[in-house]
Amino acid sequence: MTTSFVPLVLIGGLTSAGVYLLLERNLTRMLLGLLLIGNAVNLLILVVGGPSGNPPIRGRTSADNTITADPLAQGMILTAIVITMGVAAFVLAMAYRSYRLTTEEEVGNDPMDAQVSELAAQDAGAVKEDLPRPDVARDTDAADELDALPGFEGSK
């Protein structure tokens, strides 16, 4: 099976443009990136599906084709289109909600994430003696409040 070079270049271009747009902090650009990647995947499924042929209906022929087209690729593309539109609707709803709450479309840094990063950087510089050690007296096989099954004693 031979594949034309043009669809492969088109798939690569759509995928790279989609990934570039997904890396932006603007929600509209993220949505466009998702749509481009979805279209690239649809084209990839179409190219991998093989050459065109007769309709997959018994007794039907089309333009002197000797092989029958694969209906699986067509079904997968239709399913991928539905999934892409569902994801696009979800991201569009998130962008609309974010814009209504903050009147801006940029995704900002989370202040709690910055605090966690600062604490992690401080803990990385801590000496091993400063780290808390487990309580050996509490480390038993008996059931306690932290067990998932408090009434289970284990098989002894």
Side-chain angles (χ1 to χ4, degrees), residues 27-28 31 34 85-101 104-105:
L27 285 174
T28 304
L31 175 64
L34 281 171
M85 287 303 115
V87 169
F90 178 70
V91 172
L92 193 59
M94 282 185 10
Y96 177 72
R97 180 72 176 159
S98 173
Y99 182 76
R100 290 284 298 207
L101 289 176
E104 63 184 38
E105 199 176 353

Side-chain angles (χ1 to χ4, degrees), residues 36-145:
L36 284 177
I37 289 177
N39 287 332
V41 167
N42 291 342
L43 283 175
L44 180 65
I45 293 171
L46 184 66
V47 168
V48 170
S52 60
N54 291 326
I57 301 171
R58 188 171 185 87
R60 297 276 177 105
T61 59
S62 170
D64 297 334
N65 288 325
T66 58
I67 61 170
T68 303
D70 186 15
L72 181 64
Q74 298 169 12
M76 288 178 64
I77 289 173
L78 287 173
T79 305
I81 289 170
V82 171
I83 291 171
T84 302
M85 287 303 115
V87 169
F90 178 70
V91 172
L92 193 59
M94 282 185 10
Y96 177 72
R97 180 72 176 159
S98 173
Y99 182 76
R100 290 284 298 207
L101 289 176
T102 62
T103 65
E104 63 184 38
E105 199 176 353
E106 291 286 321
V107 178
N109 291 332
D110 187 18
M112 292 302 292
D113 189 32
Q115 288 178 357
V116 168
S117 296
E118 289 174 9
L119 288 174
Q122 291 173 359
D123 287 344
V127 182
K128 283 196 173 188
E129 289 83 28
D130 295 341
L131 297 176
R133 296 184 182 263
D135 187 10
V136 181
R138 280 202 65 180
D139 191 18
T140 63
D141 288 335
D144 59 4
E145 69 273 4

